[in-house]
Amino acid sequence: LQCLRYIELNPVRAGMVAAADAYPWSSFHRNALGKIDPLIRPHPSWLALAYSETERCAAYRKFVMEEIDDTELDAIRSHLQRQHALGTARFRAAIEAQLGRRAGPAKIGRPRKTQPSEESAL
């Protein structure tokens, strides 16, 4: 939901519109206002906001309108710039398994050398 909020508010931060609902190419109209859009599938996190769609839309509107903490904003931007998945270690592992590539920071430095075994020393 934090990433959705970040995306919904991008046009506002960029000064393109005064409010998220003024940007026509956004999922805000579906998630916050309940307008049907065949291109948008409800995200499980959005579905978990409330039992009814009306309550979910209201909860989402309230959430999006909350100010994004600078720490959260910096974390999202940092992960985007580095192309890292933002989430728990478990989430990153699932993304890495699905994509077949690293989705988080790599270990710094070159790999350690392995010690030769006694058999290879002979």
Side-chain angles (χ1 to χ4, degrees), residues 5 63-70 72:
R5 175 173 55 190
F63 175 73
V64 170
M65 293 307 143
E66 292 174 359
E67 188 174 340
I68 297 179
D69 179 76
D70 286 340
E72 179 183 328

Side-chain angles (χ1 to χ4, degrees), residues 1-102:
L1 287 176
Q2 293 170 328
C3 289
L4 282 173
R5 175 173 55 190
Y6 174 83
I7 292 166
E8 305 284 26
L9 294 175
N10 266 340
V12 177
R13 278 192 301 276
M16 298 167 64
V17 293
D21 62 349
Y23 191 69
W25 302 281
S26 167
S27 60
F28 185 83
H29 299 100
R30 172 66 185 111
N31 295 329
L33 306 175
K35 294 183 181 177
I36 302 302
D37 186 333
L39 298 177
I40 299 174
R41 287 185 310 189
H43 191 277
S45 295
W46 180 81
L47 292 170
L49 287 173
Y51 289 109
S52 76
E53 182 163 333
T54 303
E55 292 172 324
R56 282 191 291 268
C57 288
Y60 187 78
R61 271 193 314 275
K62 181 181 177 193
F63 175 73
V64 170
M65 293 307 143
E66 292 174 359
E67 188 174 340
I68 297 179
D69 179 76
D70 286 340
T71 305
E72 179 183 328
L73 196 57
D74 290 344
I76 291 171
R77 287 178 174 159
S78 172
H79 281 76
L80 281 172
Q81 289 169 351
R82 293 182 178 106
Q83 297 183 9
H84 293 164
L86 176 61
T88 64
R90 181 177 172 207
F91 174 75
R92 275 196 309 276
I95 295 297
E96 288 173 353
Q98 189 175 17
L99 296 178
R101 71 176 195 91
R102 193 177 73 252

